[in-house]
Amino acid sequence: RRCLQTWTNPGDVILSPFSGIGSAGYVAIEQGRKFIGAELKASYYRQAVANLRTAERERGRSDLFAAD
């Protein structure tokens, strides 16, 4: 949280090449940033998608995964 808030601005794109369960993406969305992440492990990817959808809902937007 602190790093994203300190070194990025709302609307910036945050890249996480090893996303895990999407923690950085969750915080990025929470703080009004955009997020791009990559994860090889299927179970982590599925959890990241669920976490990012939750962040979008909590923020009041639902456009992140509109193409799904």
Side-chain angles (χ1 to χ4, degrees):
R1 261 186 188 86
R2 188 169 149 197
C3 290
L4 290 181
Q5 192 170 10
T6 301
W7 292 309
T8 67
N9 297 306
D12 282 356
V13 177
I14 308 303
L15 171 65
S16 180
F18 307 100
S19 296
I21 61 169
S23 301
Y26 189 96
V27 173
I29 292 167
E30 205 176 52
Q31 294 184 1
R33 278 75 169 159
K34 298 174 186 172
F35 178 71
I36 298 173
E39 179 54 54
L40 293 176
K41 189 171 181 179
S43 62
Y44 286 5
Y45 167 78
R46 287 188 297 273
Q47 187 60 56
V49 169
N51 291 342
L52 295 172
R53 283 186 170 141
T54 298
E56 284 287 299
R57 266 193 311 277
E58 289 176 359
R59 184 142 171 93
R61 299 186 334 219
S62 60
D63 59 350
L64 181 64
F65 295 99
D68 284 355

